Amino acid sequence: MSEAPSETSPEATLDAGPEPSIDKAFSPASFETRLYEGWESSGAFSADPTSPAKPFTIMIPPPNVTGSLHIGHALDNTLQDILVRWRRMQGRDALWQPGTDHAGIATQMVVERALAAEGLDRRAIGREAFLDKVWEWKGQSGGTITQQLRRLGASLDWPRERFTMDAGLSEAVREVFVTLYRQGLIYRDRRLVNWDPKFQTAVSDLEVESRETKGSLWYLRYPVEGMEGRFITVATTRPETMLGDTAVAVHPDDARFADLAGRRAILPLTGRRIPIVMDAYSDPEKGTGAVKITPAHDFNDFEVGRRHSLPMPTVLDAEGRIWLGEIEADLPEDSFVRGLAGIDRFAARQKIIAELERLDLLDKIEPHVNQVPHGDRSGVPIEPRLTIQWYCDAATLAKPAIEAVESGRTKFVPQQWENTFFAWMRDIQPWCVSRQLWWGHQIPAWYGPDGRVFVEHTQAAAEAAARAHYKADVVLTRDEDVLDTWFSSALWPFSTLGWPEKTADVSRYYPTDVLVTGFDIIFFWVARMMMMGCHFMGDVPFRTVYIHGLVRDEKGQKMSKSKGNVMDPLELVDAYGADALRVTIAAMAGPGRDMKLGRKRVEDHRAFCTKIWNAARFCEMNGVVPDPDFEPGGVTTPLARWLLDAGNRAVADATAALEIFRFDEYARVAERFVRGTYCDWFLEFAKPVFMGPDGAQKDEIRGAAQHGFATILKLLHPMMPFMTEELWARFGYGPEGSLIRTAWPTAVPVPQAEAARAELDWVVLLISEVRALRAEMNVPPSIKVPLLLQDAAPETLDRGARWIEAIGRMARATEFRALDGEAPKGVAQVTVAEATVMLPLADVIDLGAERARLGREQQKAEAEAQKVRQKLDNADFVARAKPEVVEENRERLAGYEAEAARLAAAVARITG
C-alpha cells in the first residue's frame, strides 16, 4: 500500500471540542522520571518465582562499575528492554537480571589516580587499606551507570542487583576455582603473557589494542662462528630484546642458508653462542629470510623455542627496564651490556643501536610502519613476558560448548556468528586467569614453606590441608594474584541466581532465554560463559545469542574521542527524550549490520513521538474516549473494518518480527501502522464523521479510533515505554503505570475484512498517486483539477463516488468521473489498478517546460550515478578505500539510480 503524508494534520481540527487533558506540547522530561520511579517502586519490573507463568530470562552483560552510559550500552540495553517488556506483556514471568562487574584493572586505575591526587601510593598504604579505599569508592561512585540505565527506561529487576565481588558471587568463584583445580583443569605454568609495564600485570587480549606506529626496521649482522667474515643478517623492530636471543631461525628449504645448518651465530654485545635452527616459521620472502628468536619476549618465538628446546632468558623487568638477572653470569666484567641494567627499554634501544653501529654490525635501517600492541587503559606498549601464572585448560572446557552450538541447543542470531565462535573455540589456547592486581577475587591458593600449593575454599581449610601434609602447623603464604575479571563474569548466568546453592531461582531461571551482546566479546565472555555453564550446570547458559553490530557515526566511521564523533546517549535523551532514542535504535538494529547514527535520525523520531502525541489530542478533542464495551466484531463501516484489520496485521507482523529478533522490522511495522494507517489516513478519513451529526456511524468510528489507539500504545510500549504509558493514563485506558502490566494485543474479529481492505487500500493508493503526480508536476496546492478515468471498472467508479469527499479534499480534485471520448490534450496521467487516471493540466502549468525540467533533472541524476559507478568499478578504489567509504558510495549510487528512474517515469506520464 502506498503511503503519503497527510496534507492536513490532526491539529487542523483541534478546535472541534473541549480543551483536552493531554498537554499541547510533547515534553518527555515532564513525565519520564515520574513514570520510571512509579514502575520501580510498584514492583512492575520484578520477576515472580511463585508465578505459574513460563519464565523468560535475560542476563544483563554487567557493565563495568567504573563505567558511564555510552551509545553501545544504549543499543545493547534498549534491545534487551524491548524483549523483556514484550515478553512481560505476553504473560511471561520475565527476569532481567541487573548487576555490575568489578572491572579489576579499570577500577584499580581509578582509585590509584585518586590516591595519587592525595599524594598517596597503594604500595605505601598496603593491600588491606587500598582495598578499603576501593570499596569506599565503589559505594560512593560505583553506581553511576545503573542510575543512567534508569534514564534510558531499562526495566531491570533492581532488587536482585548483583556485583561480581559481592559475597555470593565470590563464593561461586571460589567453588569453581577449587573444583577446576582438583579436576586438573586449573594449573600453574610458565608461559608468555601480555604484560602491561605500567600496571605491572598480565592482561587479556581484550585489553590490548593494536596501534599503527611509525618506526624502523633494523638489520643486524650476527657473526657466524668459525666462518671468518661470514654474517647472518636479521631484521627486527625490537633490537633491545636481542639480549635475550637464543637462536637464529632460517627456513629449512632456503638455499641461501643451507651451509649454516648445525652452526652457531655469535650474539653481538654478549658474545653468547646461539644455534642457527631450521624452522618453517622463518619466511624466505620477508626481510632477510633469517629471524632472531627471543622466546621470552615474543609469542611466535616462544613456540619456536619450545620446538627446539631453547633457553628462554628474560631480559626486561616488570616495568619494561633492562634486567640482566638471567644472563649476567655470561657477561664479561667490562661488558657494554652491564651498563644497560635498569635502563628503560626504549632508551636501551638507542644505546644498543649506537653500539652496534660502532661495531659495524648495523647493516641498514629502513622506515617501517608497525602494529604495536598497547594497553587499552595504560596507553603504553605491551610486552610479551615469560612469567609463572595460573592457567585454565580452556580446550577441554570448550568441547561441550562447541557441541552445544553444533547441535543447536544454543543458536546464534545472525547464524554466521557461529563460525566466529567455532573458529575461536576449536583453536583455543590455555586461558591465563591470574592478574597481578589487588582489586579482584584473590586466588584461593596458599603456599607452604617449600613452595607446595594448597588450593582450598578458605584459609582454615588450607591450613588443615597443610597440617595433614607436613604433620605439623606451618606458616602459609597466600597467593597475591587475583583472577581475571572474565573468570567471575563467566559464571554470571548462574552465580547471580544463588549458585553454588541449589536455589529455586537456579532451577527456574537457568538456562536463560537470550543473551544480547556485541560481536567483540564472543571470544572473551560468550565463549567463557558457555564453557562454565556446560561444565558446572550441565546445560547451556542461554538458548539464543543475539549478536548486534556497532554504533557508528552517520558517515559509517567508528566513534572515538579522538575523532570527536562520540554521541552521548544521555545528552540525546535530554534533547529528544528516551523514547526517540530507543525507537531510533530499534529501527536501525538490522541483523548483522552496524548502524549509522546521527542526531538527525533521533530528531526525526522525536517528530514521530510528537505525531502520536498530537493524534491523541485530536482524538480526545473529537470525543474519542476509551470504550470497554466496544465490540470489533460488530462494526459495519468499511473505514472501521479497515482500521481494525490493519491493526490485526500490524500486531501479527510485529510479533513475528520480535520472535526472530528483527527489531528493525518491528519498528518499521509499528511505524507503518501508526503513521501510515492511523494518523495519515484513518484520522483524515474520519474528520468529516467526527465533525458531522451524532449517530451510529460517529459512535462506531469513535469506537474504532479508541480501539486502534489502544492497540498503538500497546504495540509501541516495549520500544517507547514512557510516552505510551503517559498517554495510556491520560487518555483513560487505565491508571498511571498500568500499561506495563497490560497484555500484548491480539487479533480481534473483523467482519468482511478483505472487502474493506480492498476498498480503503484503493482510496489510499489513488490519493497517494495523484498527490505524487501533482508534486512532480509542480502543481500549486491551491489549484484543484478534475480526475478523469479511462478504462475504469464500474466498481472503481462506484468506489470513487462513495469516497468523493475524501478524494476531493485530500487529492485536491474537483470531480471524479469516467472519461467521455478522447483524452484531452495536455494531461498528466498515472495508472491506479485497472484504470488510467488523467489530470488535465494544460491550462494550469506549462507541460512542455515541466517535461524539459524533469528531463534535465533525470540527466543530472544519471550523470551523478555514472560518476559513482565508475568509482566503484575501479578495483583499486574498492580495495584501498575504507569499507565505510565504499558502502557510502554504494548507497549514493542506489539513490541516484532510484531518482533517475523516478524522473523517467514522471516524464512518461506527461502526454499531449
Side-chain angles (χ1 to χ4, degrees):
M1 181 178 70
S2 176
E3 295 168 0
S6 171
E7 287 189 349
T8 58
S9 64
E11 296 88 335
T13 56
L14 278 178
D15 57 353
E19 182 63 28
S21 63
I22 299 170
D23 297 341
K24 185 172 184 179
F26 169 59
S27 176
S30 68
F31 54 78
E32 287 183 348
T33 301
R34 167 173 49 81
L35 288 177
Y36 194 93
E37 289 175 351
W39 287 325
E40 186 175 355
S41 63
S42 69
F45 305 155
S46 297
D48 181 6
T50 66
S51 168
K54 183 180 179 181
F56 176 79
T57 313
I58 290 183
M59 294 284 167
I60 191 175
N64 286 355
V65 71
T66 59
S68 59
L69 196 73
H70 59 61
I71 201 69
H73 291 131
L75 164 63
D76 204 68
N77 287 281
T78 294
L79 300 186
Q80 290 174 79
D81 196 43
I82 288 172
L83 292 174
V84 168
R85 287 178 181 271
W86 167 57
R87 291 298 192 187
R88 194 183 282 130
M89 293 176 76
Q90 284 190 319
R92 301 282 290 271
D93 175 29
L95 167 59
W96 188 11
Q97 174 65 51
T100 51
D101 190 280
H102 65 279
I105 197 167
T107 305
Q108 182 156 322
M109 181 178 69
V110 168
V111 178
E112 286 200 60
R113 282 178 182 166
L115 286 175
E118 299 175 22
L120 298 174
D121 177 82
R122 70 178 169 96
R123 291 176 181 82
I125 67 174
R127 183 171 192 144
E128 188 173 342
F130 175 74
L131 292 179
D132 286 343
K133 290 284 187 182
V134 180
W135 280 108
E136 181 183 334
W137 174 89
K138 194 265 179 185
Q140 293 174 352
S141 308
T144 299
I145 195 165
T146 59
Q147 294 304 316
Q148 292 172 335
L149 285 169
R150 289 170 165 89
R151 293 281 315 280
L152 188 66
S155 60
L156 289 141
D157 193 344
W158 292 112
R160 291 175 172 267
E161 184 177 352
R162 303 302 300 269
F163 177 53
T164 52
M165 286 280 286
D166 70 28
L169 270 63
S170 296
E171 181 184 351
V173 168
R174 289 190 295 271
E175 175 67 21
V176 167
F177 189 93
V178 172
T179 300
L180 291 176
Y181 177 78
R182 291 173 178 172
Q183 293 171 344
L185 296 175
I186 279 184
Y187 56 92
R188 297 180 85 213
D189 196 8
R190 188 169 186 254
R191 298 174 60 93
L192 276 187
V193 295
N194 295 311
W195 186 265
D196 190 313
K198 181 175 180 179
F199 293 125
Q200 297 179 47
T201 180
V203 295
S204 72
D205 291 341
L206 185 66
E207 294 162 311
V208 176
E209 60 182 23
S210 289
R211 298 182 186 175
E212 191 175 274
T213 305
K214 292 181 179 180
S216 299
L217 195 60
W218 289 273
Y219 289 76
L220 314 181
R221 305 200 308 160
Y222 289 15
V224 178
E225 184 182 34
M227 299 180 73
E228 188 69 29
R230 180 75 183 273
F231 297 87
I232 185 166
T233 302
V234 300
T236 181
T237 59
R238 302 286 313 278
E240 65 276 14
T241 65
M242 67 172 293
L243 303 178
D245 286 1
T246 55
V248 174
V250 297
H251 197 282
D253 298 333
D254 194 333
R256 293 173 295 177
F257 305 110
D259 63 329
L260 298 182
R263 288 193 172 271
R264 292 176 176 271
I266 300 173
L267 183 63
L269 307 183
T270 71
R272 194 164 69 241
R273 272 67 177 162
I274 59 176
I276 299 171
V277 300
M278 302 292 161
D279 195 282
Y281 167 62
S282 179
D283 186 348
E285 302 298 321
K286 290 185 178 179
T288 65
V291 183
K292 63 188 283 296
I293 302 299
T294 321
H297 295 281
D298 182 276
F299 287 98
N300 291 315
D301 293 4
F302 177 75
E303 297 301 328
V304 175
R306 292 211 300 187
R307 285 197 291 272
H308 296 276
S309 302
L310 299 173
M312 300 186 179
T314 295
V315 294
L316 294 173
D317 68 9
E319 295 181 62
R321 302 173 302 189
I322 299 296
W323 181 67
L324 306 178
E326 295 182 17
I327 65 169
E328 189 170 16
D330 298 330
L331 298 172
E333 285 299 322
D334 60 349
S335 170
F336 160 81
V337 175
R338 287 184 180 274
L340 298 176
I343 294 177
D344 177 76
R345 50 188 165 160
F346 300 117
R349 174 185 295 180
Q350 300 307 316
K351 289 180 178 290
I352 287 170
I353 290 300
E355 181 65 7
L356 290 172
E357 189 169 24
R358 187 185 72 80
L359 296 172
D360 197 27
L361 294 176
L362 178 63
D363 186 58
K364 62 179 177 178
I365 305 174
E366 290 179 348
H368 183 72
V369 176
N370 198 19
Q371 293 293 328
V372 178
H374 284 67
D376 65 347
R377 290 187 172 87
S378 67
V380 302
I382 292 296
E383 280 293 340
R385 188 163 188 254
L386 192 59
T387 61
I388 295 176
Q389 302 278 353
W390 288 92
Y391 287 90
C392 180
D393 181 358
T396 297
L397 293 175
K399 290 175 184 175
I402 293 170
E403 189 279 327
V405 177
E406 288 175 335
S407 65
R409 285 189 292 135
T410 290
K411 297 181 183 296
F412 278 77
V413 178
Q415 189 176 358
Q416 69 260 25
W417 289 112
E418 290 181 3
N419 297 328
T420 303
F421 176 81
F422 289 140
W424 171 258
M425 295 288 271
R426 288 169 180 161
D427 190 35
I428 199 166
Q429 300 301 306
W431 172 17
C432 176
V433 297
S434 49
R435 296 289 183 268
Q436 289 64 56
L437 302 170
W438 285 356
W439 173 244
H441 293 100
Q442 193 169 355
I443 291 174
W446 289 261
Y447 300 97
D450 58 356
R452 182 180 178 85
V453 64
F454 299 91
V455 173
E456 299 289 346
H457 291 83
T458 64
Q459 182 166 342
E463 289 170 346
R467 190 178 307 115
H469 174 74
Y470 293 113
K471 311 304 181 187
D473 288 333
V474 296
V475 176
L476 297 181
T477 303
R478 186 164 186 180
D479 195 310
E480 292 193 350
D481 289 354
V482 300
L483 287 164
D484 175 15
T485 298
W486 296 106
F487 191 92
S488 51
S489 58
L491 318 181
W492 188 253
F494 52 92
S495 64
T496 51
L497 298 175
W499 188 92
E501 297 295 323
K502 293 182 179 178
T503 65
D505 281 356
V506 171
S507 60
R508 179 169 176 79
Y509 297 113
Y510 187 97
T512 69
D513 289 85
V514 59
L515 175 74
V516 177
T517 190
F519 65 83
D520 51 336
I521 56 173
I522 291 176
F523 312 137
F524 304 100
W525 189 46
V526 178
R528 285 163 167 74
M529 285 190 289
M530 288 287 289
M531 290 190 287
M532 294 300 190
C534 290
H535 190 77
F536 284 95
M537 304 299 293
D539 201 353
V540 295
F542 19 73
R543 299 301 184 198
T544 301
V545 181
Y546 174 78
I547 301 292
H548 57 69
L550 296 175
V551 185
R552 298 181 179 272
D553 70 10
E554 57 237 306
K555 296 179 180 177
Q557 298 183 91
K558 191 172 181 179
M559 292 188 184
S560 70
K561 291 180 181 177
S562 61
K563 292 179 182 175
N565 62 349
V566 172
M567 300 189 74
D568 180 355
L570 295 175
E571 191 274 326
L572 293 172
V573 169
D574 288 339
Y576 305 111
D579 290 327
L581 176 59
R582 288 170 60 110
V583 69
T584 303
I585 286 171
M588 299 177 70
R593 291 201 312 263
D594 291 348
M595 62 171 62
K596 298 178 183 178
L597 182 65
R599 291 182 69 93
K600 178 65 166 60
R601 290 183 182 272
V602 186
E603 189 177 326
D604 288 346
H605 282 100
R606 163 62 184 251
F608 176 54
C609 297
T610 301
K611 190 175 188 72
I612 299 167
W613 190 268
N614 288 337
R617 280 175 53 80
F618 171 75
C619 286
E620 189 179 24
M621 292 194 70
N622 281 281
V624 177
V625 295
D627 181 3
D629 298 325
F630 176 72
E631 289 290 344
V635 297
T636 60
T637 60
L639 181 57
R641 290 171 175 171
W642 177 72
L643 177 67
L644 297 176
D645 174 62
N648 284 346
R649 286 182 287 123
V651 169
D653 291 347
T655 304
L658 288 172
E659 290 283 1
I660 59 172
F661 307 99
R662 285 298 303 269
F663 299 95
D664 57 335
E665 184 62 23
Y666 160 55
R668 194 157 39 245
V669 165
E671 187 165 357
R672 187 168 60 229
F673 176 61
V674 173
R675 186 191 296 274
T677 300
Y678 194 87
C679 294
D680 288 347
W681 296 108
F682 170 75
L683 292 183
E684 287 295 328
F685 292 149
K687 277 181 179 178
V689 180
F690 288 157
M691 300 179 72
D694 291 341
Q697 183 186 21
K698 179 182 281 192
D699 290 343
E700 180 171 295
I701 298 302
R702 281 174 169 170
Q706 64 83 30
H707 178 89
F709 197 67
T711 300
I712 285 171
L713 297 181
K714 289 184 279 189
L715 192 67
L716 290 175
H717 180 73
M719 182 168 54
M720 305 166 68
F722 290 109
M723 184 188 68
T724 54
E725 186 73 84
E726 180 74 358
L727 288 176
W728 184 262
R730 292 279 196 110
F731 210 78
Y733 290 114
E736 182 166 296
S738 62
L739 176 57
I740 193 173
R741 294 182 171 90
T742 301
W744 182 249
T746 55
V748 296
V750 181
Q752 301 179 39
E754 287 189 19
R757 190 186 314 152
E759 177 151 323
L760 269 296
D761 283 359
W762 176 86
V763 176
V764 168
L765 179 62
L766 173 73
I767 294 170
S768 299
E769 293 288 359
V770 171
R771 283 177 173 174
L773 185 59
R774 288 174 60 100
E776 285 171 353
M777 299 298 129
N778 277 336
V779 179
S782 59
I783 295 177
K784 293 186 176 183
V785 297
L787 303 183
L788 309 178
L789 275 73
Q790 189 176 59
D791 302 325
E795 174 59 22
T796 296
L797 297 173
D798 289 344
R799 281 178 180 164
R802 286 194 296 273
W803 290 93
I804 186 60
E805 187 279 334
I807 294 170
R809 173 167 50 92
M810 299 173 71
R812 315 299 292 162
T814 56
E815 59 178 322
F816 178 92
R817 62 176 173 82
L819 176 67
D820 294 326
E822 295 291 322
K825 291 186 179 297
V827 299
Q829 60 188 29
V830 65
T831 301
V832 179
E834 85 291 351
T836 300
V837 181
M838 299 179 178
L839 280 69
L841 299 175
D843 298 330
V844 175
I845 58 173
D846 187 335
L847 287 171
E850 280 304 309
R851 185 186 291 111
R853 179 184 66 82
L854 292 168
R856 288 193 300 272
E857 290 184 6
Q858 177 189 350
Q859 290 174 357
K860 182 179 178 181
E862 288 171 345
E864 293 296 331
Q866 183 59 22
K867 287 180 187 176
V868 181
R869 196 178 293 115
Q870 287 175 344
K871 188 180 290 187
L872 290 171
D873 287 342
N874 184 334
D876 189 56
F877 166 76
V878 174
R880 290 176 178 272
K882 292 181 178 179
E884 59 265 26
V885 174
V886 176
E887 181 61 26
E888 181 185 359
N889 275 274
R890 287 184 176 136
E891 290 175 1
R892 288 175 59 211
L893 176 60
Y896 286 133
E897 288 178 337
E899 178 67 1
R902 183 190 70 79
L903 291 164
V907 172
R909 291 191 185 109
I910 303 174
T911 65

